[in-house]
Amino acid sequence: MAQEESVENQSMATQLPEELLAKLREANESNADSGFNIASNFSDRYELGLVLGEGGAGRVIAAYDKNVRRRVAIKFIRSDKASEIALRYFLKEAKITGQLQHPHIIPLYELGMTENEEIYYVMKLVQGVTLDEILEGIRIGDKDMIERFPLPSLMKIFRRVCEAVSYAHAKGVVHLDLKPDNILVGYLGDVQVTDWGLARLRRGMEDMSELELVDIDEDVDFIIDSEKEKVIGTPAFMSPEQAIGNSDLVGTRSDVYALGGILYKILTLRAPANGKTTTAVLRRKLNEKIKHPLLYSEEAVGDNPDNVKLIHLPNCRVPRSLAAICMKALDEKLIERYQKVGDLMRDVEVYMAGYIPDADKGAGLNRHFSQFIYRNQKSIVLVLISIFAVLTSIIILLLLIQYTK
């Protein structure tokens, strides 16, 4: 949510260290393909407004583009985080986001440097809330959030996120920091996946299908060469292979795991792993089994403040099929997970259509029959009404015949 703070064009105070500025000037002057060269004229084009948020190396500010008369969001690199690695991440995020053109990936309009030598990029301004804010609102009993976002609406949001991530994978990009806080939901229902700062190109494109795909430009590729930078992502949602820093195993299935974590929070209103510190979260993730979502249906009562009633779910209970999909995506073994986001998305769509998904292999005949009733309930009601009408007509006819006799 926007903080009540405005920013003047000439007082950003986000200048980079002199050595980085020297690199940028040299790259711009020489036109060398170093990954640093960028050029733009900020001038009087943008009128800056409220600070929308800050975190990591970036600070996002609402602005008005005077040239085309539209509201935008501008992300600046923060001076207190402006190391060379932070700058590389910032530029990589801009270049990758700029090439991922999808309805559910926030579009980027411009990358440049102001007259004050502040690095920025301009993107679409999405007026809304994050999925994390939606789920937290439901958790604390916000009536507006509960009414606006029942489970079917949340699953539509989740499916759109899957579509965006599947598209990115087809372009050879893995996100590596998928979480509810990086999903924006606009007031008109549009969904945007944001924060591609940790994204990587798939090494060697090993998972490419036989389809002809368009690759991201080579200058976007960035190999982390520092041991301490190997563990990247948000601990509560990152995959086990990310948690141990195994870069050889990190890939598209790591994003599948994170999507499973997002679905887990949609169902239970909790992250798959919690802890007071990052170390505690990572230790729990690596040494403990994730609590099955179905168990939360049984614990949504009592005096424990963590026992939250799942008011957004049918009968306040986690649907078995969705729990099965969630746990398959969250399997610690890569081979047991969904191998592609498309496979996860297909199971979700099967569930939303009223069928039993492949992940829920243990479903008995009674559940299949229940799902049959659920997906055909309108037709069944119409048939019952028709039968009732026919029987009523027969009875009336018989009574009339009896009366005439």
Side-chain angles (χ1 to χ4, degrees):
M1 302 300 288
Q3 300 174 28
E4 293 300 323
E5 177 184 352
S6 61
V7 181
E8 298 295 334
N9 283 350
Q10 300 302 321
S11 61
M12 282 297 302
T14 56
Q15 283 77 8
L16 298 175
E18 187 58 39
E19 62 272 17
L20 289 184
L21 287 172
K23 278 190 177 184
L24 288 162
R25 293 192 198 102
E26 181 183 351
N28 281 336
E29 290 169 3
S30 66
N31 291 320
D33 188 14
S34 64
F36 283 103
N37 54 315
I38 53 177
S40 180
N41 183 17
F42 198 79
S43 64
D44 295 323
R45 177 174 179 176
Y46 299 105
E47 180 180 321
L48 301 182
L50 298 178
V51 174
L52 301 176
E54 47 189 321
R59 187 184 195 196
V60 182
I61 300 171
Y64 180 70
D65 184 342
K66 299 175 184 177
N67 282 8
V68 293
R69 297 184 179 182
R70 67 179 171 191
R71 300 196 178 280
V72 295
I74 303 180
K75 186 170 183 177
F76 293 85
I77 189 165
R78 290 172 49 185
S79 59
D80 59 331
K81 298 288 186 179
S83 64
E84 182 166 333
I85 276 189
L87 177 60
R88 284 186 177 275
Y89 270 127
F90 188 86
L91 296 178
K92 179 168 67 80
E93 177 182 16
K95 292 180 180 182
I96 287 180
T97 306
Q99 294 187 68
L100 294 176
Q101 299 180 41
H102 187 273
H104 303 312
I105 295 176
I106 198 161
L108 185 141
Y109 303 138
E110 179 187 7
L111 169 64
M113 179 190 294
T114 72
E115 297 89 336
N116 296 331
E117 298 185 317
E118 302 156 359
I119 309 302
Y120 71 91
Y121 66 77
V122 184
M123 55 187 167
K124 176 181 178 181
L125 175 63
V126 178
Q127 296 181 309
V129 293
T130 66
L131 179 58
D132 193 61
E133 290 172 320
I134 291 171
L135 297 176
E136 182 59 26
I138 294 171
R139 181 183 172 90
I140 64 175
D142 185 314
K143 290 184 178 180
D144 180 56
M145 290 295 187
I146 293 169
E147 290 175 2
R148 286 174 56 200
F149 298 102
L151 183 61
S153 297
L154 292 172
M155 293 308 300
K156 286 179 182 177
I157 292 171
F158 181 73
R159 185 174 61 182
R160 288 169 183 165
V161 173
C162 289
E163 289 172 357
V165 177
S166 181
Y167 164 82
H169 288 180
K171 294 278 282 186
V173 177
V174 288
H175 189 287
L176 297 183
D177 196 22
L178 293 167
K179 56 184 177 180
D181 203 39
N182 285 340
I183 299 166
L184 282 175
V185 181
Y187 292 129
L188 298 178
D190 52 319
V191 176
Q192 304 285 334
V193 178
T194 68
D195 201 347
W196 295 80
L198 299 184
R200 291 184 187 176
L201 291 179
R202 286 186 287 176
R203 185 179 288 110
M205 305 293 183
E206 304 97 328
D207 298 330
M208 284 293 184
S209 68
E210 298 299 318
L211 297 175
E212 182 179 352
L213 302 170
V214 181
D215 297 340
I216 293 293
D217 292 342
E218 282 301 313
D219 67 333
V220 177
D221 197 359
F222 175 57
I223 304 299
I224 298 173
D225 55 9
S226 171
E227 288 294 321
K228 66 181 180 180
E229 295 292 340
K230 281 189 175 180
V231 178
I232 59 173
T234 302
F237 294 91
M238 72 168 57
S239 64
E241 59 271 16
Q242 279 178 269
I244 63 175
N246 191 335
S247 58
D248 290 333
L249 294 180
V250 170
T252 55
R253 290 175 293 183
S254 305
D255 278 351
V256 168
Y257 186 97
L259 288 169
I262 293 171
L263 180 56
Y264 189 96
K265 187 158 188 180
I266 287 174
L267 297 176
T268 69
L269 304 179
R270 301 161 177 85
N274 289 299
K276 293 183 178 180
T277 65
T278 298
T279 303
V281 174
L282 290 174
R283 186 181 296 115
R284 175 170 290 184
K285 181 177 289 288
L286 295 173
N287 299 321
E288 299 179 15
K289 293 287 185 183
I290 294 174
K291 188 173 181 177
H292 201 288
L294 293 180
L295 296 177
Y296 288 106
S297 297
E298 309 298 332
E299 297 179 359
V301 293
D303 298 327
N304 188 333
D306 193 46
N307 291 340
V308 179
K309 191 171 184 181
L310 307 178
I311 193 68
H312 64 306
L313 302 181
N315 301 317
C316 300
R317 303 180 72 83
V318 176
R320 288 183 174 275
S321 289
L322 284 182
I325 292 172
C326 176
M327 294 307 289
K328 182 174 176 64
L330 285 171
D331 201 300
E332 62 183 24
K333 297 178 182 177
L334 284 165
I335 195 63
E336 297 297 332
R337 271 181 229 162
Y338 291 103
Q339 298 302 291
K340 299 178 182 178
V341 175
D343 298 334
L344 166 61
M345 197 160 46
R346 191 174 303 111
D347 259 5
V348 168
E349 289 170 349
V350 166
Y351 166 80
M352 293 176 71
Y355 294 88
I356 301 292
D358 289 341
D360 194 8
K361 295 177 181 178
L365 287 175
N366 60 329
R367 298 231 350 258
H368 280 279
F369 180 73
S370 297
Q371 288 299 101
F372 173 81
I373 297 295
Y374 172 78
R375 66 177 178 267
N376 294 291
Q377 53 187 321
K378 290 183 179 178
S379 298
I380 292 171
V381 169
L382 288 175
V383 169
L384 291 176
I385 290 174
S386 299
I387 292 173
F388 178 78
V390 170
L391 290 176
T392 302
S393 299
I394 292 172
I395 292 171
I396 292 173
L397 181 60
L398 291 174
L399 289 174
L400 287 172
I401 292 172
Q402 185 69 26
Y403 178 76
T404 55
K405 288 182 179 180

